[in-house]
Amino acid sequence: MNEKRKATENYVSGNRASDLTVDKPIILVGLMGVGKSTVGRRLANMLKLDFVDADNEIEKAAAMSIAEIFEEFGEDYFRDGERRVIARLIEDRPQVIATGGGAFINEETRALILKRGIAVWLDADTDTLVERVNRRNTRPLLRNGNAREILTDLAAKRNPFYAKAHVKVASQVGPHNRMAQEIIKAIRIWKS
């Protein structure tokens, strides 16, 4: 990557991204397809932090895919394991953590995230989410129905919980780096 582009990616509204210091994990929450993992990787890179995807950590711990966990044991079992994995990740060190869409809905998990991390709600309109989730068929909650109807229903149920996050950033069509920069800007405002 050329130096000019690198400098541009690390520059945020008059401040360098690396100038933002965080002493606790940044936890990305929001509906499936909003970009928590993709944007989270870019955000972590800009802040020189580690990135971890809670869903990947759950799969490692269970030695099963999330779809297999849902199919074999059900959603309640999955949510319990998810809560335990997120609790472990939060205790680790400052890093960027992408959570699954339902993680922040669990009262215990939400309380833990709000107390020990910086919760960032990534929000997007339904059209954007539908377009993104239709790229892959790995999402257990979308396997048996219309993605638009399911996402509309999930948004109605989950957005009031996501709204409790410390910071909200609207997802944008465009480069993931721009979204990561918006998160940094929003955290800076929240911290001031």
Side-chain angles (χ1 to χ4, degrees), residues 13-190:
S13 302
N15 297 306
R16 290 203 168 278
S18 58
D19 291 344
L20 177 66
T21 55
V22 291
D23 58 355
K24 49 184 153 184
I26 297 170
I27 300 114
L28 305 179
V29 302
L31 286 173
M32 65 182 89
V34 78
K36 297 179 299 283
S37 295
T38 307
V39 172
R41 282 184 189 88
R42 302 288 172 93
L43 177 64
N45 186 48
M46 287 179 177
L47 294 174
K48 299 181 181 8
L49 295 172
D50 289 334
F51 171 79
V52 63
D53 186 308
D55 284 351
N56 290 345
E57 294 299 310
I58 292 163
E59 289 180 339
K60 282 185 208 171
M64 301 173 80
S65 72
I66 289 173
E68 290 169 333
I69 297 168
F70 264 75
E71 190 174 310
E72 191 164 329
F73 301 104
E75 186 174 357
D76 289 341
Y77 180 88
F78 170 78
R79 295 297 172 205
D80 184 55
E82 178 180 55
R83 179 187 47 74
R84 286 182 276 123
V85 167
I86 290 172
R88 176 179 50 85
L89 295 173
I90 288 175
E91 295 296 324
D92 201 12
R93 66 190 172 283
Q95 58 186 336
V96 176
I97 302 169
T99 63
F104 203 64
I105 307 314
N106 179 281
E107 189 174 345
E108 283 182 73
T109 305
R110 184 174 59 255
L112 184 67
I113 290 170
L114 291 172
K115 182 178 179 182
R116 301 191 184 220
I118 301 169
V120 178
W121 173 21
L122 301 185
D123 190 20
D125 63 77
T126 304
D127 289 337
T128 300
L129 295 174
V130 169
E131 188 271 322
R132 290 177 182 171
V133 301
N134 281 336
R135 295 177 193 164
R136 297 183 305 170
N137 67 348
T138 58
R139 305 193 189 259
L141 294 178
L142 297 181
R143 289 214 168 147
N144 298 316
N146 176 286
R148 178 173 303 285
E149 290 172 9
I150 293 167
L151 286 165
T152 300
D153 184 55
L154 285 173
K157 291 176 182 172
R158 292 180 175 181
N159 285 356
F161 295 103
Y162 296 146
K164 296 177 183 195
H166 300 113
V167 174
K168 177 184 178 185
V169 178
S171 184
Q172 309 163 7
V173 175
H176 298 298
N177 285 345
R178 186 178 333 139
M179 183 71 176
Q181 291 168 346
E182 288 300 317
I183 294 168
I184 292 167
K185 181 179 175 183
I187 291 172
R188 241 192 215 105
I189 292 167
W190 172 74

